[in-house]
């Protein structure tokens, strides 16, 4: 089975989400490795504040795309909100200043820092940055290892707030401009172009062909409850979750301790299958006796995750 049948021409983003510590980074890294080994130029991005990719691939990754040692088509990137903001300022700063300075008399930094705190703008440009990697960065696939659950939803929800904000902006600025008796300014054009950008990105993440969500969980009460909450939330935002990975499953218990845990797990696995078996593809991943670190270990997991 291939987790996804990727059309090589079909550039997409795979997003991994779920509760803290359930195996998001492990599953993202394994999936990225799989598609890279199959010849797709793949980028794995972590937007988590803690640099988890560096740990799992046992090399320093950081905010500049780097090839993963020993894997030809695989690149990694760890990028936090601060770095995104920095790049946003580089990309849009001069344009914003030029537009704003036509109507207000402010210092460059004042203007840029003021605009940079608009609601949702940070999330918007994080998404923009990621979508840009797959559209213009020459990658066949971007695998996105997100921060734990709540943050991901915030990330997905805020661009709408940003769009709303921009929807109101022309009215607001027009009000200001009326008093200044100006008809059309670069600022309005800029706001309009951002709105178009925000909508383009929202369309990209809403298109199930372009952005696919993979939910990771574990067969325990907290894992199941969190999954139920997340699925509800995702649906509220209009996103489908085609895949659910149940991680840390004890397959062959050989002692009382593990037999008991296995029994406990089965009840939760059955619950998940009953509830989501029809709408999602559910994949069970075994609990390994060691931690998943380094390309060789990930290859073992890759064989299980993508076994026929
Ligand atoms: N199937 C597995 N078998 C054994 N160990 C595993 C398995 N999956 C994950 N682990 C281990 O569990 C720990 C947590 O996994 P991981 O870092 O992938 O979770 P995460 O969801 O990304 O966590 P966070 O929310 O903190 O980012 C790691 O030490 C990893 O090696
Ligand atoms: Mg992680």
């Amino acid at each position: 089975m291939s987790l996804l049948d990727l059309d090589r021409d079909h550039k997409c983003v795979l997003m991994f989400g779920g509760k803290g510590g359930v195996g998001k980074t492990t599953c993202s890294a394994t999936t990225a490795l799989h598609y890279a080994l199959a010849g797709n130029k793949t980028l794995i991005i972590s937007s988590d504040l803690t640099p988890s990719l560096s740990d799992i691939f046992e090399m320093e990754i950081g905010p500049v795309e780097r090839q993963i040692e020993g894997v030809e088509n695989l690149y990694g990137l760890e990028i936090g909100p601060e770095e995104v903001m920095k790049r946003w300022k580089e990309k849009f700063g001069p344009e914003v200043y030029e537009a704003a300075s036509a109507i207000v008399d402010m210092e460059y930094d004042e203007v840029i820092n003021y605009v940079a705190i608009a609601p949702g703008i940070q999330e918007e440009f994080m998404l923009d940055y990621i979508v840009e990697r797959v559209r213009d960065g020459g990658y066949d696939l971007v695998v996105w290892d997100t921060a734990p659950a709540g943050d991901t939803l915030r990330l997905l929800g805020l661009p709408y707030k940003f769009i709303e904000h921009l929807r109101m902006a022309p009215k607001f600025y027009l009000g200001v401009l009326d008093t200044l008796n100006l008809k059309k300014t670069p600022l309005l054009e800029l706001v309009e172009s951002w709105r178009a950008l925000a909508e383009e990105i929202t369309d990209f993440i809403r298109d199930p062909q372009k952005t696919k969500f993979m939910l990771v969980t574990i067969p325990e009460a907290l894992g199941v409850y969190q999954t139920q909450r997340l699925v509800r939330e995702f649906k509220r935002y209009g996103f489908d979750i085609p895949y659910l990975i149940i991680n840390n499953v004890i397959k062959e218990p050989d002692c009382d301790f593990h037999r008991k845990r296995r029994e406990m797990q089965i009840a939760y696995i059955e619950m998940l299958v009953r509830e989501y078996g029809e709408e999602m593809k559910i994949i069970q991943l075994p609990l390994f006796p060691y931690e998943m670190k380094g390309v060789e270990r990930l290859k073992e997991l890759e064989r299980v995750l993508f076994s026929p």
Side-chain angles (χ1 to χ4, degrees):
M1 188 249 349
S2 195
L3 193 59
L4 287 169
D5 291 319
L6 273 191
D7 177 341
R8 281 209 63 170
D9 298 328
H10 213 128
K11 300 187 159 216
C12 71
V13 175
L14 296 185
M15 269 184 74
F16 284 78
K19 196 171 97 65
V22 293
K24 294 178 297 296
T25 303
T26 308
C27 291
S28 319
T30 306
T31 304
L33 181 68
H34 171 80
Y35 288 109
L37 292 174
N40 301 288
K41 192 174 174 199
T42 304
L43 174 68
I44 178 163
I45 298 182
S46 169
S47 56
D48 206 342
L49 287 173
T50 49
S52 44
L53 292 183
S54 294
D55 293 341
I56 203 164
F57 287 111
E58 301 177 315
M59 61 177 274
E60 198 47 43
I61 295 182
V64 177
E65 288 154 52
R66 286 196 59 186
Q67 195 196 324
I68 305 298
E69 282 156 16
V71 190
E72 202 182 327
N73 287 306
L74 186 55
Y75 297 79
L77 176 70
E78 289 170 328
I79 188 162
E82 260 181 34
E83 185 65 27
V84 169
M85 230 43 240
K86 197 177 126 217
R87 290 182 195 199
W88 173 82
K89 285 178 184 173
E90 279 161 17
K91 185 171 167 184
F92 290 100
E95 206 180 333
V96 170
Y97 180 69
E98 197 192 321
S101 60
I103 50 170
V104 288
D105 185 19
M106 277 165 88
E107 292 291 314
Y108 184 85
D109 282 350
E110 264 182 309
V111 171
I112 309 309
N113 291 332
Y114 179 75
V115 177
I117 55 167
I121 196 167
Q122 220 164 348
E123 288 75 11
E124 173 60 29
F125 287 101
M126 173 69 98
L127 289 171
D128 170 51
Y129 188 76
I130 289 173
V131 169
E132 200 180 73
R133 298 298 94 203
V134 81
R135 275 201 308 226
D136 315 318
Y139 292 100
D140 297 314
L141 176 70
V142 170
V143 175
W144 181 12
D145 172 26
T146 68
D151 292 354
T152 310
L153 285 164
R154 207 173 64 89
L155 193 74
L156 295 174
L158 275 175
Y160 300 106
K161 288 214 178 99
F162 185 57
I163 290 177
E164 271 310 302
H165 178 78
L166 292 184
R167 204 167 275 145
M168 297 307 294
K171 271 193 202 152
F172 172 75
Y173 292 124
L174 270 178
V176 175
L177 295 178
D178 275 345
T179 56
L180 294 173
N181 202 18
L182 288 168
K183 288 269 177 291
K184 197 168 164 63
T185 73
L187 188 61
L188 279 190
E189 280 168 28
L190 186 66
V191 166
E192 197 42 53
S193 75
W194 279 1
R195 196 153 71 93
L197 180 70
E199 276 169 359
E200 210 180 296
I201 289 165
T202 314
D203 287 348
F204 191 98
I205 56 171
R206 274 180 173 278
D207 182 342
Q209 296 300 320
K210 293 185 178 141
T211 303
K212 297 176 200 290
F213 294 94
M214 336 282 282
L215 199 52
V216 186
T217 190
I218 48 172
E220 291 178 19
L222 294 185
V224 172
Y225 302 153
Q226 179 80 343
T227 301
Q228 291 167 330
R229 270 195 296 274
L230 273 177
V231 172
R232 270 200 302 274
E233 283 285 284
F234 269 78
K235 284 188 175 157
R236 204 161 62 80
Y237 283 112
F239 298 116
D240 272 348
I241 303 175
Y243 296 92
L244 175 65
I245 297 175
I246 309 177
N247 191 21
N248 288 356
V249 175
I250 296 169
K251 291 282 188 187
E252 291 163 356
D254 56 3
C255 64
D256 268 353
F257 176 80
H258 281 124
R259 267 188 289 275
K260 283 217 178 82
R261 281 200 78 83
R262 163 95 187 141
E263 255 174 54
M264 177 270 297
Q265 290 193 341
I266 284 178
Y268 292 114
I269 293 172
E270 283 175 355
M271 254 165 97
L272 289 168
V273 170
R274 220 178 307 126
E275 207 163 336
Y276 303 115
E278 284 185 11
E279 56 182 298
M280 297 175 196
K281 184 163 183 57
I282 298 182
I283 300 152
Q284 295 184 34
L285 273 187
L287 174 70
F288 283 81
Y290 33 73
E291 59 184 344
M292 290 296 151
K293 221 155 91 53
V295 169
E296 289 315 308
R297 284 272 191 256
L298 291 180
K299 278 184 183 168
E300 262 178 72
L301 192 59
E302 189 258 340
R303 281 192 285 275
V304 181
L305 189 55
F306 292 90
S307 66

CSV table of all heavy atoms in Angstrom, one decimal, residues 193-224:
chain,number,residue,atom,x,y,z
A,193,SER,N,-3.8,43.2,-3.0
A,193,SER,CA,-3.0,42.1,-3.4
A,193,SER,C,-2.8,41.1,-2.3
A,193,SER,O,-2.7,39.9,-2.5
A,193,SER,CB,-1.6,42.6,-4.0
A,193,SER,OG,-0.8,43.0,-2.9
A,194,TRP,N,-2.8,41.6,-1.1
A,194,TRP,CA,-2.6,40.7,0.1
A,194,TRP,C,-3.9,39.8,0.2
A,194,TRP,O,-3.9,38.7,0.6
A,194,TRP,CB,-2.4,41.4,1.4
A,194,TRP,CG,-1.0,41.8,1.5
A,194,TRP,CD1,0.0,41.6,0.6
A,194,TRP,CD2,-0.4,42.5,2.6
A,194,TRP,NE1,1.2,42.1,1.1
A,194,TRP,CE2,1.0,42.7,2.3
A,194,TRP,CE3,-0.9,43.0,3.8
A,194,TRP,CZ2,1.8,43.3,3.2
A,194,TRP,CZ3,-0.1,43.7,4.7
A,194,TRP,CH2,1.3,43.8,4.4
A,195,ARG,N,-5.0,40.5,0.0
A,195,ARG,CA,-6.3,39.8,0.1
A,195,ARG,C,-6.3,38.7,-0.9
A,195,ARG,O,-6.7,37.5,-0.6
A,195,ARG,CB,-7.4,40.7,-0.1
A,195,ARG,CG,-8.7,40.2,0.4
A,195,ARG,CD,-9.7,41.3,0.8
A,195,ARG,NE,-10.1,42.0,-0.4
A,195,ARG,CZ,-11.3,41.7,-1.1
A,195,ARG,NH1,-12.0,40.7,-0.6
A,195,ARG,NH2,-11.7,42.3,-2.1
A,196,ALA,N,-5.8,39.0,-2.1
A,196,ALA,CA,-5.8,38.0,-3.2
A,196,ALA,C,-4.8,36.8,-2.8
A,196,ALA,O,-5.2,35.6,-2.9
A,196,ALA,CB,-5.3,38.6,-4.5
A,197,LEU,N,-3.7,37.2,-2.2
A,197,LEU,CA,-2.8,36.2,-1.7
A,197,LEU,C,-3.4,35.3,-0.6
A,197,LEU,O,-3.3,34.1,-0.7
A,197,LEU,CB,-1.5,36.9,-1.2
A,197,LEU,CG,-0.4,36.0,-0.7
A,197,LEU,CD1,0.3,35.3,-1.8
A,197,LEU,CD2,0.7,36.9,0.1
A,198,ALA,N,-4.0,35.9,0.4
A,198,ALA,CA,-4.6,35.2,1.5
A,198,ALA,C,-5.7,34.2,0.9
A,198,ALA,O,-5.8,33.1,1.3
A,198,ALA,CB,-5.3,36.1,2.5
A,199,GLU,N,-6.4,34.7,-0.1
A,199,GLU,CA,-7.5,33.8,-0.6
A,199,GLU,C,-6.9,32.7,-1.4
A,199,GLU,O,-7.4,31.5,-1.4
A,199,GLU,CB,-8.5,34.6,-1.5
A,199,GLU,CG,-9.5,35.2,-0.5
A,199,GLU,CD,-10.4,36.3,-1.2
A,199,GLU,OE1,-10.2,36.6,-2.4
A,199,GLU,OE2,-11.2,36.8,-0.4
A,200,GLU,N,-5.8,33.0,-2.1
A,200,GLU,CA,-5.1,31.9,-2.9
A,200,GLU,C,-4.6,30.8,-2.0
A,200,GLU,O,-4.7,29.6,-2.2
A,200,GLU,CB,-3.9,32.6,-3.6
A,200,GLU,CG,-3.5,32.0,-4.9
A,200,GLU,CD,-2.3,32.8,-5.4
A,200,GLU,OE1,-2.5,34.1,-5.7
A,200,GLU,OE2,-1.2,32.3,-5.5
A,201,ILE,N,-4.0,31.3,-0.8
A,201,ILE,CA,-3.5,30.3,0.1
A,201,ILE,C,-4.6,29.5,0.7
A,201,ILE,O,-4.5,28.3,0.9
A,201,ILE,CB,-2.6,31.0,1.2
A,201,ILE,CG1,-1.4,31.5,0.5
A,201,ILE,CG2,-2.2,30.1,2.3
A,201,ILE,CD1,-0.6,32.5,1.3
A,202,THR,N,-5.6,30.2,1.1
A,202,THR,CA,-6.8,29.5,1.7
A,202,THR,C,-7.3,28.4,0.7
A,202,THR,O,-7.6,27.3,1.1
A,202,THR,CB,-7.9,30.5,2.1
A,202,THR,OG1,-7.2,31.5,2.8
A,202,THR,CG2,-8.9,29.9,3.1
A,203,ASP,N,-7.4,28.8,-0.5
A,203,ASP,CA,-7.9,27.9,-1.5
A,203,ASP,C,-6.9,26.7,-1.6
A,203,ASP,O,-7.4,25.5,-1.8
A,203,ASP,CB,-8.0,28.5,-2.9
A,203,ASP,CG,-9.1,29.5,-3.0
A,203,ASP,OD1,-10.0,29.5,-2.1
A,203,ASP,OD2,-9.2,30.3,-4.0
A,204,PHE,N,-5.6,26.9,-1.5
A,204,PHE,CA,-4.7,25.8,-1.6
A,204,PHE,C,-4.8,24.9,-0.5
A,204,PHE,O,-4.9,23.7,-0.7
A,204,PHE,CB,-3.2,26.4,-1.6
A,204,PHE,CG,-2.2,25.4,-2.0
A,204,PHE,CD1,-1.7,25.3,-3.3
A,204,PHE,CD2,-1.7,24.5,-1.0
A,204,PHE,CE1,-0.7,24.4,-3.6
A,204,PHE,CE2,-0.7,23.6,-1.3
A,204,PHE,CZ,-0.2,23.5,-2.6
A,205,ILE,N,-5.0,25.4,0.7
A,205,ILE,CA,-5.1,24.5,1.9
A,205,ILE,C,-6.5,23.8,2.0
A,205,ILE,O,-6.6,22.8,2.6
A,205,ILE,CB,-4.6,25.1,3.2
A,205,ILE,CG1,-5.4,26.3,3.5
A,205,ILE,CG2,-3.2,25.3,3.3
A,205,ILE,CD1,-5.2,26.8,5.0
A,206,ARG,N,-7.4,24.4,1.3
A,206,ARG,CA,-8.8,23.8,1.3
A,206,ARG,C,-8.9,22.8,0.2
A,206,ARG,O,-9.9,22.0,0.2
A,206,ARG,CB,-9.8,24.9,1.1
A,206,ARG,CG,-10.2,25.5,2.4
A,206,ARG,CD,-11.2,26.6,2.1
A,206,ARG,NE,-11.7,27.1,3.4
A,206,ARG,CZ,-12.7,26.5,4.1
A,206,ARG,NH1,-13.2,25.4,3.7
A,206,ARG,NH2,-13.1,27.0,5.2
A,207,ASP,N,-8.0,22.8,-0.8
A,207,ASP,CA,-8.2,21.9,-1.9
A,207,ASP,C,-7.6,20.5,-1.5
A,207,ASP,O,-6.4,20.3,-1.3
A,207,ASP,CB,-7.4,22.4,-3.1
A,207,ASP,CG,-7.5,21.5,-4.3
A,207,ASP,OD1,-7.9,20.4,-4.2
A,207,ASP,OD2,-7.2,22.0,-5.4
A,208,PRO,N,-8.5,19.5,-1.4
A,208,PRO,CA,-8.0,18.2,-0.9
A,208,PRO,C,-7.0,17.5,-1.8
A,208,PRO,O,-6.3,16.6,-1.4
A,208,PRO,CB,-9.3,17.3,-0.8
A,208,PRO,CG,-10.3,18.1,-1.5
A,208,PRO,CD,-9.9,19.5,-1.7
A,209,GLN,N,-6.9,18.0,-3.1
A,209,GLN,CA,-5.9,17.4,-4.0
A,209,GLN,C,-4.5,18.0,-3.6
A,209,GLN,O,-3.5,17.4,-3.9
A,209,GLN,CB,-6.2,17.8,-5.4
A,209,GLN,CG,-7.5,17.1,-6.0
A,209,GLN,CD,-7.4,15.6,-5.9
A,209,GLN,OE1,-6.4,15.0,-6.2
A,209,GLN,NE2,-8.5,15.0,-5.5
A,210,LYS,N,-4.5,19.2,-3.1
A,210,LYS,CA,-3.3,19.9,-2.9
A,210,LYS,C,-2.8,19.8,-1.4
A,210,LYS,O,-1.6,19.9,-1.2
A,210,LYS,CB,-3.4,21.4,-3.3
A,210,LYS,CG,-3.6,21.5,-4.8
A,210,LYS,CD,-3.7,22.9,-5.2
A,210,LYS,CE,-3.8,23.0,-6.7
A,210,LYS,NZ,-4.7,24.1,-7.1
A,211,THR,N,-3.7,19.8,-0.5
A,211,THR,CA,-3.2,19.7,0.9
A,211,THR,C,-4.0,18.6,1.6
A,211,THR,O,-5.2,18.5,1.5
A,211,THR,CB,-3.6,21.0,1.7
A,211,THR,OG1,-3.0,22.1,1.0
A,211,THR,CG2,-3.1,21.0,3.1
A,212,LYS,N,-3.2,17.6,2.1
A,212,LYS,CA,-3.8,16.5,2.7
A,212,LYS,C,-3.4,16.4,4.2
A,212,LYS,O,-2.2,16.7,4.5
A,212,LYS,CB,-3.3,15.2,2.0
A,212,LYS,CG,-3.8,15.1,0.6
A,212,LYS,CD,-3.2,13.9,-0.1
A,212,LYS,CE,-3.3,14.1,-1.6
A,212,LYS,NZ,-4.6,14.0,-2.2
A,213,PHE,N,-4.4,16.2,5.0
A,213,PHE,CA,-4.1,16.1,6.5
A,213,PHE,C,-4.0,14.7,7.0
A,213,PHE,O,-4.8,13.8,6.6
A,213,PHE,CB,-5.3,16.8,7.2
A,213,PHE,CG,-5.4,18.2,6.9
A,213,PHE,CD1,-6.2,18.7,6.0
A,213,PHE,CD2,-4.6,19.1,7.6
A,213,PHE,CE1,-6.3,20.1,5.7
A,213,PHE,CE2,-4.7,20.5,7.4
A,213,PHE,CZ,-5.5,21.0,6.4
A,214,MET,N,-3.0,14.5,7.7
A,214,MET,CA,-2.8,13.1,8.3
A,214,MET,C,-2.9,13.3,9.8
A,214,MET,O,-2.1,14.1,10.4
A,214,MET,CB,-1.5,12.5,8.0
A,214,MET,CG,-0.8,13.1,6.7
A,214,MET,SD,-1.6,12.4,5.3
A,214,MET,CE,-0.8,10.8,5.3
A,215,LEU,N,-3.8,12.7,10.5
A,215,LEU,CA,-3.9,12.8,11.9
A,215,LEU,C,-3.2,11.6,12.6
A,215,LEU,O,-3.3,10.5,12.1
A,215,LEU,CB,-5.4,12.8,12.3
A,215,LEU,CG,-5.8,13.4,13.6
A,215,LEU,CD1,-5.2,14.8,13.8
A,215,LEU,CD2,-7.3,13.5,13.7
A,216,VAL,N,-2.4,11.9,13.6
A,216,VAL,CA,-1.7,10.9,14.3
A,216,VAL,C,-2.2,10.8,15.7
A,216,VAL,O,-2.5,11.8,16.3
A,216,VAL,CB,-0.1,11.2,14.4
A,216,VAL,CG1,0.6,10.0,15.0
A,216,VAL,CG2,0.4,11.5,13.0
A,217,THR,N,-2.4,9.6,16.2
A,217,THR,CA,-2.9,9.4,17.6
A,217,THR,C,-2.3,8.2,18.2
A,217,THR,O,-1.6,7.4,17.5
A,217,THR,CB,-4.5,9.4,17.6
A,217,THR,OG1,-4.9,9.5,18.9
A,217,THR,CG2,-5.0,8.1,17.0
A,218,ILE,N,-2.7,7.9,19.4
A,218,ILE,CA,-2.2,6.7,20.1
A,218,ILE,C,-3.5,6.0,20.7
A,218,ILE,O,-4.5,6.7,21.0
A,218,ILE,CB,-1.2,6.9,21.2
A,218,ILE,CG1,-1.6,8.1,22.1
A,218,ILE,CG2,0.2,7.2,20.6
A,218,ILE,CD1,-0.7,8.3,23.3
A,219,PRO,N,-3.5,4.7,20.9
A,219,PRO,CA,-4.7,4.0,21.3
A,219,PRO,C,-4.8,4.1,22.9
A,219,PRO,O,-4.7,3.1,23.6
A,219,PRO,CB,-4.5,2.6,20.9
A,219,PRO,CG,-3.0,2.4,20.8
A,219,PRO,CD,-2.4,3.8,20.5
A,220,GLU,N,-5.1,5.3,23.3
A,220,GLU,CA,-5.3,5.5,24.8
A,220,GLU,C,-6.4,6.6,24.9
A,220,GLU,O,-6.6,7.3,23.9
A,220,GLU,CB,-4.0,6.1,25.4
A,220,GLU,CG,-2.9,5.0,25.5
A,220,GLU,CD,-1.6,5.6,26.1
A,220,GLU,OE1,-1.7,6.6,26.8
A,220,GLU,OE2,-0.6,4.9,25.9
A,221,ALA,N,-7.0,6.6,26.1
A,221,ALA,CA,-8.2,7.5,26.2
A,221,ALA,C,-7.8,8.9,25.7
A,221,ALA,O,-8.6,9.5,24.9
A,221,ALA,CB,-8.6,7.5,27.7
A,222,LEU,N,-6.8,9.5,26.2
A,222,LEU,CA,-6.5,10.9,25.9
A,222,LEU,C,-6.2,11.1,24.4
A,222,LEU,O,-6.6,12.1,23.8
A,222,LEU,CB,-5.3,11.4,26.7
A,222,LEU,CG,-5.5,11.5,28.2
A,222,LEU,CD1,-4.2,12.1,28.8
A,222,LEU,CD2,-6.7,12.3,28.5
A,223,GLY,N,-5.6,10.1,23.8
A,223,GLY,CA,-5.4,10.1,22.3
A,223,GLY,C,-6.7,10.1,21.6
A,223,GLY,O,-6.9,10.9,20.6
A,224,VAL,N,-7.6,9.2,22.0
A,224,VAL,CA,-8.9,9.1,21.3
A,224,VAL,C,-9.8,10.4,21.5
A,224,VAL,O,-10.3,10.9,20.5
A,224,VAL,CB,-9.7,7.9,21.8
A,224,VAL,CG1,-11.1,7.8,21.3
A,224,VAL,CG2,-8.9,6.6,21.4
